[in-house]
């Protein structure tokens, strides 16, 4: 995929706290991202992926161009109680952050048969530990837990 990212998240914070332009980061870039995924036959319901990316144009120019990612998910082929159990992990690293790995883990269940192309609802508990994807706070490390409901179609 070819993509553009620019963020003004934090601009209000900066204005409210009278932070100078010298301390403000105007984060903006275009990049190319390649992700390959496959479903190994050995483990029914599993999908693995890996890939990487390169920033084509970046501001600030000091941002490292390269990133890498890998991960996978498993959706149980068997239904238990309310739905189909899910376990997933996503690991991403950026040259910008000295290749420290961002870790995103999730578990929960899916309502709706994963063997069909029908609509599904997922209820997940997630954990993240890594660098902020939020605009000018990209150098800040975050750690959080979340609960979510996702409608997939």
């Amino acid at each position: 995929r070819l993509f553009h990212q620019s963020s003004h998240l934090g601009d209000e914070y900066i204005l409210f706290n009278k932070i100078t332009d010298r301390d403000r980061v105007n984060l903006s870039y275009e990049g190319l991202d390649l992700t390959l995924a496959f479903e190994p036959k050995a483990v029914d319901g599993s999908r693995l992926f890996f890939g990487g990316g390169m920033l084509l144009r970046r501001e600030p120019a000091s941002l490292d161009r390269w990133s890498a990612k890998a991960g996978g998910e498993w959706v149980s082929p068997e239904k238990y109680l309310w739905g189909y159990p899910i376990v997933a992990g996503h690991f991403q690293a950026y040259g910008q952050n000295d290749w420290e790995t961002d870790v995103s883990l999730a578990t929960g269940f899916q309502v709706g048969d994963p063997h069909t192309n029908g609509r599904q609802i997922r209820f997940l508990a997630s954990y993240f530990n890594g660098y902020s994807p939020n605009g000018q706070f990209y150098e800040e490390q975050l750690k959080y837990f979340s609960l979510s409901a996702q409608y997939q179609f």
Side-chain angles (χ1 to χ4, degrees):
R1 78 181 170 133
L2 188 60
F3 67 95
H4 167 79
Q5 167 73 38
S6 62
S7 177
H8 300 283
L9 185 64
D11 282 351
E12 295 298 321
Y13 173 82
I14 287 171
L15 292 172
F16 182 75
N17 289 289
K18 296 179 177 51
I19 295 173
T20 66
D21 282 345
R22 181 177 39 105
D23 296 323
R24 182 181 178 278
V25 176
N26 184 32
L27 184 67
S28 176
Y29 51 83
E30 283 80 39
L32 183 62
D33 208 18
L34 177 65
T35 303
L36 302 171
F38 62 99
E39 297 177 355
K41 301 280 187 218
V43 182
D44 192 21
S46 65
R47 178 176 37 217
L48 301 173
F49 68 89
F50 63 94
M54 179 181 89
L55 298 181
L56 304 172
R57 186 204 61 81
R58 60 205 193 277
E59 187 181 335
S62 61
L63 285 174
D64 191 287
R65 289 186 186 277
W66 301 101
S67 65
K69 62 184 164 186
E73 82 171 2
W74 175 75
V75 180
S76 172
E78 303 293 324
K79 185 175 182 180
Y80 296 91
L81 298 175
W82 303 290
Y84 299 85
I86 299 171
V87 178
H90 180 180
F91 309 92
Q92 189 150 349
Y94 298 89
Q96 175 63 31
N97 300 325
D98 296 325
W99 298 103
E100 289 184 41
T101 304
D102 295 347
V103 176
S104 180
L105 304 172
T107 188
F109 65 93
Q110 174 175 300
V111 177
D113 190 340
H115 297 98
T116 67
N117 289 330
R119 292 171 171 80
Q120 291 119 5
I121 298 174
R122 287 184 170 184
F123 297 95
L124 299 171
S126 301
Y127 167 76
F128 177 81
N129 184 3
Y131 285 89
S132 174
N134 301 318
Q136 48 197 306
F137 304 112
Y138 67 93
E139 293 179 327
E140 300 293 322
Q141 288 198 314
L142 301 175
K143 187 183 291 188
Y144 61 83
F145 294 93
S146 66
L147 299 173
S148 64
Q150 302 172 355
Y151 179 67
Q152 301 188 156
F153 54 94

